[in-house]
Amino acid sequence: MYFSKKDILDMESLSVEEISLILDTADRMKEISQRPVKKVPTLRGQTIVLFFYEPSTRTRTSFDIAAKRLSADSISISASGSSIVKGETLIDTARNLEAMNADIIVMRHSSSGAPHLLAPLVRSSIINAGDGTHAHPSQALLDMMTVREKKGGLKGLRVAIIGDIAHSRVARSNITGFKKMGADIIAAGPPTMMPKGIESLGTEVTHNIDHAVDGADVIMMLRIQKERQKNYTLSTEREYARFYGLNKKRLENAKKDVLIMHPGPINRGIEISHDLADGSHSVILDQVTNGVAVRMALLYLVVGGGKNGDAD
C-alpha cells in the first residue's frame, strides 16, 4: 500500500489501512534509533519547519530529532520569535515559509482547526502537532504503537482514558484512533472535565474511576489542562487526587498485565502516584521513545517515502 496523503491533520481522516502502514513504518524507523550511528540519508535535502505557537518540550524535540535522524534540515519557529508579533496573519506566515521551499510544516497552535485552515492553502505538507482541544494525531499514533508493541495488537482491548477529557486533544485523537483499530474505550473524569456529547465518538462515559479501571488492559492518565480552562474546574488538587488520581490500591482491579500511560508532562501525586509513574506497569518512557519513531514515519510518508523505496 502507498501512502497518498499530503497532510496529517487528525485521526478521523486516516483509514485503518493508513494507520497500520504508519505503525508498521514506525516499527522499522525505531531500529534506526537503536544503531550506533542514528542517522540515515532518507530525507536529505528536505526542509522541515517546526512552527510552534504553544510551548512544547516533548513534541517539538521529538519531531526535531526525527527530522535529523532522517538527515532533513529542520528549523524551529515560535510565535514569540516570528512576524506574528508584528501583526502578520497565520496564513501569510505559512505562505512565506512555503515560498522558502519548506517541504513540511509541523504545526502546533492554540486554536482548534488552525492546521486544517492552512493545509489546502499551501503546497507544503502540514503535520498537526496539536491544535487547541481538537486533535493530536502523532500522540495517538505513538500511543497505539506502544500498546501494539506490548500487547501484540489493539483489537478487543479495554482502554480507560481518565482525567481532563474536556480540554484534551490527546483524548479525542486516542478515542478515535483506538476505536478504529477495534479497542473498547471508557472515558472517566469529573463532570466538570467531561465534554457534552463525547459518547458520540463511541466511548462509554463514567465519573467513577474505579469502574473505568476495573478490567482495563490499558490506563491512560491525562494531565489537568490548567492553561486551557477558562474557569478552574476542580476544587483542590488534593481532592482531585483522592477521587481521580491513579494509585496502587485502585490498580488492583485492572488486568494483571495492565499498561499505564501518560502523555506528559505528569503532575506527580495528583494524576498518578510516584510509585506507579515509575513502576513496572508504566510505559510512559516507552511512549517517548516511540514518539520519535512515529514522527520519523510521518515525515517519511508525507513526502512520498512509501513510493520511493525502503527507509534504509
Side-chain angles (χ1 to χ4, degrees), residues 82 165 200 204 209 212 238 308:
S82 75
I165 307 289
S200 65
E204 180 184 347
I209 183 175
R238 184 175 178 181
N308 298 329

Side-chain angles (χ1 to χ4, degrees), residues 177-228:
F178 275 86
K179 283 292 295 180
K180 279 192 177 183
M181 303 307 283
D184 294 321
I185 310 293
I186 181 167
T192 54
M193 295 183 181
M194 192 65 67
K196 291 181 180 177
I198 192 72
E199 300 91 341
S200 65
L201 296 180
T203 179
E204 180 184 347
V205 174
T206 180
H207 302 303
N208 184 331
I209 183 175
D210 294 308
H211 173 58
V213 167
D214 188 20
D217 296 286
V218 179
I219 300 173
M220 291 185 187
M221 301 305 295
L222 300 175
R223 184 172 65 87
I224 302 171
Q225 308 273 334
K226 295 177 184 177
E227 74 278 12
R228 298 197 188 111

Side-chain angles (χ1 to χ4, degrees), residues 24-33 42 70 293 296-297 300 311:
D24 292 344
T25 305
D27 286 341
R28 301 205 312 275
M29 293 292 179
K30 187 172 181 178
E31 185 272 330
I32 295 171
S33 295
T42 308
L70 295 174
M296 290 170 73
Y300 170 72

Side-chain angles (χ1 to χ4, degrees), residues 132-150:
T133 59
H134 174 228
H136 197 345
S138 65
Q139 179 69 45
L141 289 161
L142 74 87
D143 288 343
M144 284 190 277
M145 178 183 179
T146 304
V147 174
R148 192 175 81 154
E149 194 174 71
K150 301 293 182 183

Side-chain angles (χ1 to χ4, degrees), residues 11-12 133-136 140 161 164-177 195-196 198 201 222:
M11 294 306 297
E12 286 82 353
T133 59
H134 174 228
H136 197 345
I161 302 178
D164 186 0
I165 307 289
H167 302 92
S168 175
R169 51 199 175 204
V170 173
R172 285 171 176 77
S173 286
N174 268 316
I175 290 170
T176 302
K196 291 181 180 177
I198 192 72
L201 296 180
L222 300 175

